[in-house]
Amino acid sequence: MRHFSQANPAGPGCDSVPALLRRLADSVEALGPVEVQDVVIAAEATEHGPWWSGTVYFHLPEEGEEDEEDEEASGSAASS
């Protein structure tokens, strides 16, 4: 599983959830075809309001295929 984290810039505007979601969406699109497993959003209290950040957990499609092949191979060996 891979992941990346991003936050709004510190200071005024750090409390914008829509800005954070756009930032995360743009980053996911830039990765190309990935399978997102989870998105975690959190906030830290600041003088400008909540400072929003997010972490996206994902894997690349070919990584998932390799995992399935490994499971099939170990399952075949176990049933032999």
Side-chain angles (χ1 to χ4, degrees), residues 10-37:
C14 68
D15 60 344
S16 176
V17 173
L20 175 64
L21 294 175
R22 279 192 285 281
R23 185 181 312 279
L24 292 170
D26 289 346
S27 295
V28 169
E29 284 184 333
L31 291 170
V34 297
E35 294 185 30
V36 173
Q37 297 300 306

Side-chain angles (χ1 to χ4, degrees), residues 34-59:
V34 297
E35 294 185 30
V36 173
Q37 297 300 306
D38 197 10
V39 178
V40 178
I41 305 291
E44 178 182 325
T46 72
E47 71 229 35
H48 301 287
W51 183 10
W52 289 99
S53 63
T55 302
V56 176
Y57 296 89
F58 67 96
H59 68 269

